[in-house]
Each structure stands twice: as structure tokens, then as C-alpha cells.
Amino acid sequence: AQKVTQAQTENSVVEKEDVTLDCVYETRDTTYYLFWYKQPPSGELVFLIRRNSFDEQNEISGRYSWNFQKSTSSFNFTITASQVVDSAVYFCALRPLIQGAQKLVFGQGTRLTINP
Amino acid sequence: GAVVSQHPSWVICKSGTSVKIECRSLDFQATTMFWYRQFPKQSLMLMATSNEGSKATYEQGVEKDKFLINHASLTLSTLTVTSAHPEDSSFYICSARVGTGGLEQYFGPGTRLTVT
């Protein structure tokens, strides 16, 4: 069975500070995908990143960066120089890579508030 | 990018009535569609997976006779909440994927259902 845990239900920082959102996952599959999604107040999920379990290289996209540590089953997300528009709920998710696997398993989400 | 639409975006109905929610893939053919339910401040919970032309596969605990899913074409899936009750009030999100093994899963904007 797969499980994704986002221990931080809420996080709040002042604008321009850096913030890291934690994600820990459990799976018996050797190959899988990990995802991060952003859900702003409007409700629509915004895709941020997909990472293959074979690729442990960290990734940076603008102010966003992701740290994938297979040894600790973690896929943490860092926002540098945070902005008020980053306020949203962020979900980490897991999906096996095996043929026919369809389910995307979501974590509980972290509600991030960036205060001006 | 691929776009998934949902209609209506919000709906209020009286207890005991049925409500239909549409999910459309606007610029791609979605072999597989997913329906999620999200209660306030909670994560997305998968309700069912449907493949075009076949019966939906419901997750454990989801009443298939109450939540009717039809995926009659490659661009349209519908979720009908039958005999709605206040506890069915929730945010319903659909998602579409190209092929059963497609990597990308595109989410609709969601439908907020309130049952009075």
C-alpha cells in the first residue's frame, strides 16, 4: 500500500522568507512517480512537478526547488523568497510506475500562509 | 496545455434531489477519468476511476448507487449524486488522463456542492 504523509498541516512565514514543506512517502514499489500540486483558494489544482523514482537529482525552477532523498523516502519542497501569492494548500502525491497503476495517492496537504 | 472543465462550478440543491456534474477534456481525449471528493481543510479522496466505455471502479466505502458515474465518450464524464443529503456537501474534482498509463493527470477546477 502507498501512503504520503505531510506532517505540517499548516505553515506560516513572513514574505521574503524561505519555507520548506515536508513530504514523506511509503511504498513497496521500486519505481514510482512523486508529484507536488498547489491548490490556491480558487480550488483548482496546479501541477508543479513530477519526479521519477530513478532520478534523485534535485530540481530548481525559479523560486521553487525540490529535494528528493530516496534513502529517507522524502520529497521536500522549498520556496525561496516567498511571496503572498504563494499562499495556498500544497499537496504531495505518489503514483506507482507499474503498468496499469492508476491511483494518485495524496498527502493531507500543507496550508501555507505568506504574511505581508 | 491540456484543459479540463467542470460544470457547474457550484450548485446548491435541496435534500433528496439529484445533481449531475460534468467533466470535459477540452483539447485531448481522456481514456481515463477520476472523481475526487474534498471536504473542507482535507485532502483529495479518490471516489472512482472510470475508463471510457466501461463501468467505473469505485473505491472502498463509496456507494456506487449513490454516486453514478458515466464515461460515455472520450471527452465527457458525469457524476450524478442521487438523493443528495447535507453530508454530501463537498468539493468534487475530476481529473483526466490520456491513456491508462499516461503520465500527466489534468485536474478540473472543481464543483462545490451544497445540499440544504
Side-chain angles (χ1 to χ4, degrees):
Chain A
Q2 289 86 29
K3 183 179 180 181
V4 177
T5 301
Q6 295 177 252
Q8 310 154 300
T9 55
E10 295 187 3
N11 199 342
S12 177
V13 299
V14 177
E15 196 174 19
K16 297 184 182 178
E17 288 184 353
D18 299 347
V19 58
T20 295
L21 308 182
D22 298 331
C23 172
V24 175
Y25 61 91
E26 297 175 29
T27 181
R28 293 180 180 176
D29 299 298
T30 55
T31 55
Y32 47 88
Y33 284 109
L34 294 165
F35 302 79
W36 274 95
Y37 290 89
K38 174 182 179 180
Q39 187 178 38
S42 63
E44 184 169 1
L45 262 73
V46 177
F47 167 80
L48 297 178
I49 189 172
R50 179 186 70 242
R51 174 48 49 90
N52 186 313
S53 58
F54 290 129
D55 183 5
E56 288 194 64
Q57 190 172 8
N58 292 331
E59 183 159 340
I60 299 175
S61 176
R63 296 184 297 108
Y64 296 168
S65 63
W66 291 269
N67 184 307
F68 178 29
Q69 297 281 346
K70 204 168 182 178
S71 59
T72 57
S73 297
S74 66
F75 187 42
N76 297 336
F77 172 34
T78 298
I79 302 175
T80 58
S82 61
Q83 301 176 2
V84 173
V85 293
D86 296 327
S87 297
V89 180
Y90 290 86
F91 291 98
C92 180
L94 166 74
R95 178 192 167 198
L97 191 58
I98 58 175
Q99 184 71 24
Q102 303 196 66
K103 291 185 185 181
L104 193 60
V105 178
F106 285 90
Q108 302 93 316
T110 298
R111 182 175 300 275
L112 177 64
T113 302
I114 310 297
N115 297 303
Chain B
V3 178
V4 176
S5 70
Q6 280 184 243
H7 179 78
S9 56
W10 59 271
V11 57
I12 301 174
C13 71
K14 291 187 177 181
S15 186
T17 62
S18 295
V19 175
K20 179 183 284 188
I21 302 170
E22 294 186 348
C23 175
R24 294 181 184 273
S25 56
L26 299 185
D27 49 3
F28 68 100
Q29 293 185 329
T31 307
T32 306
M33 285 188 170
F34 306 86
W35 286 95
Y36 295 85
R37 180 167 57 181
Q38 184 181 30
F39 291 110
K41 296 191 176 183
Q42 293 189 25
S43 187
L44 283 75
M45 297 303 297
L46 181 65
M47 298 175 68
T49 302
S50 71
N51 292 306
E52 185 264 339
S54 60
K55 290 184 178 180
T57 301
Y58 290 81
E59 294 299 300
Q60 191 171 9
V62 178
E63 300 174 61
K64 60 181 180 181
D65 293 331
K66 180 170 183 63
F67 299 99
L68 302 178
I69 292 173
N70 185 289
H71 190 170
S73 78
L74 287 171
T75 59
L76 173 65
S77 176
T78 60
L79 167 66
T80 301
V81 183
T82 62
S83 187
H85 291 287
E87 57 264 32
D88 298 324
S89 298
S90 186
F91 192 54
Y92 292 87
I93 304 172
C94 76
S95 177
R97 181 184 294 164
V98 177
T100 56
L103 292 178
E104 300 301 340
Q105 188 167 331
Y106 306 98
F107 287 85
T111 297
R112 190 164 303 283
L113 169 64
T114 302
V115 184
T116 60

